[in-house]
Amino acid sequence: MTDSSMTDPAASAQTVVAALYKFVSLDDYEALREPLHQAMLDSGIKGTLLLAREGINGTVAGSREGVDALLGWLTADTRFADIDHKESWCDAAPFYRTKVKLKKEIVTMGVPDIDPNDTVGTYVEPERWNAIISDPEVLVIDTRNDYEVDIGTFKGAVDPKTTSFREFPEYVREHYDPAQHKKVAMFCTGGIRCEKASSFMLKEGFDEVFHLKGGVLNYLEKVPEEQSLWRGECFVFDNRVTVRHDLGEGAFEQCHACRRPVSAEDMRSSAYEPGISCPYCIDSLPEKTRASARERQRQIELAEARGEPHPLGHNPRRKKA
């Protein structure tokens, strides 16, 4: 049964988490940094937004009034009037800092001249997605990183086993032929990767390229669980780590040494030491990184003992709801 208190903002005074992005030409993106940062501070918003010449991207959190105020500030600029944003809710603040960063790309693919404002695939609404990916003639590709795919994906989707989005173009060129793969459907967490991925594939000569509008989070919000083709949980880039189909906080924690999600089974492993190592990184972390992780964990535990929130990250010992 769905716990409505985890997904209904009216149920309690919860934190609103807003993932947003828009590809749009921002020749003045550097000048936007300070006023945007101030708007976030004025609205009591925490999280990180990225600005680049190609647009804006990020996830932020705050009160209902604060998120609305920030969105109002953004949409007052006609370039952001139709900015894509999706919301979910959580009981505890998922971020500790307020940041605006300047980047070369708002999602890094590393391929020049890919512009979703110029060329982009066919958007598929969540309600139509099941029919698209159930078509045996459609190649379904999960564009996310391998650790994200491990904890949840769509039934029948291909896992490219990439560790970063930069590897995606090479993966496509090595494995697929536009002459053979006539129809391609792809998805990602919030939709932004697929904007670039679909633009890239069209330029590579693929004829029909579909992508899930608003990504997995939009699908989980719009499609009833009993009709869902999603399997597992969805990784999110904040302290919730994962969300369930009802967008409530999931069952995974995060290893603060390697940043991978860890399950209850992983945490029972002798390789798991909260904040320091997990089965995925125990044999690969350099001692310098491990020492840094130990110090960070010590600071977390000291803050917890004082009853204070810790600014460096999520407490891995906190029990999930």
Side-chain angles (χ1 to χ4, degrees), residues 22-26 53-55 105-106 109 111-121 123 192 194-203:
K22 182 173 176 61
F23 283 98
V24 60
S25 180
L26 297 176
R53 196 173 301 277
E54 67 179 10
E105 300 177 76
I106 57 173
M109 176 182 268
V111 178
D113 303 321
I114 297 298
D115 183 2
N117 289 310
D118 176 53
T119 305
V120 74
Y123 295 97
I192 187 170
C194 292
E195 300 267 5
K196 276 199 167 179
S198 67
S199 180
F200 165 77
M201 294 192 77
L202 287 169
K203 289 199 172 186

Side-chain angles (χ1 to χ4, degrees), residues 160-293:
K161 300 188 183 303
T162 53
T163 59
S164 79
F165 193 39
R166 283 183 175 273
E167 298 173 7
F168 184 78
E170 181 180 357
Y171 167 80
V172 169
R173 288 167 176 157
E174 288 183 353
H175 291 83
Y176 303 116
D177 182 353
Q180 296 180 16
H181 302 95
K182 301 291 187 181
K183 298 180 181 180
V184 180
M186 57 185 62
F187 62 92
C188 56
T189 306
I192 187 170
R193 278 194 178 199
C194 292
E195 300 267 5
K196 276 199 167 179
S198 67
S199 180
F200 165 77
M201 294 192 77
L202 287 169
K203 289 199 172 186
E204 289 289 300
F206 291 86
D207 289 335
E208 293 185 75
V209 182
F210 305 95
H211 54 120
L212 176 58
K213 186 175 182 180
V216 178
L217 294 179
N218 196 31
Y219 179 92
L220 298 182
E221 179 183 353
K222 300 286 180 60
V223 176
E225 189 166 1
E226 59 270 19
Q227 299 173 19
S228 178
L229 295 182
W230 177 260
R231 302 293 183 263
E233 295 186 4
C234 181
F235 182 84
V236 290
F237 295 89
D238 60 58
N239 285 341
R240 294 172 298 171
V241 187
T242 64
V243 294
R244 306 184 304 264
H245 201 288
D246 63 359
L247 295 180
E249 191 170 355
F252 287 75
E253 294 285 358
Q254 189 173 47
C255 172
H256 286 284
C258 67
R259 312 304 296 176
R260 287 192 61 131
V262 288
S263 66
E265 182 179 356
D266 293 329
M267 288 185 280
R268 287 192 290 270
S269 166
S270 60
Y272 180 71
E273 187 175 355
I276 297 170
S277 66
C278 75
Y280 303 104
C281 67
I282 185 67
D283 296 323
S284 61
L285 282 181
E287 184 53 39
K288 182 178 179 180
T289 302
R290 201 183 305 277
S292 176

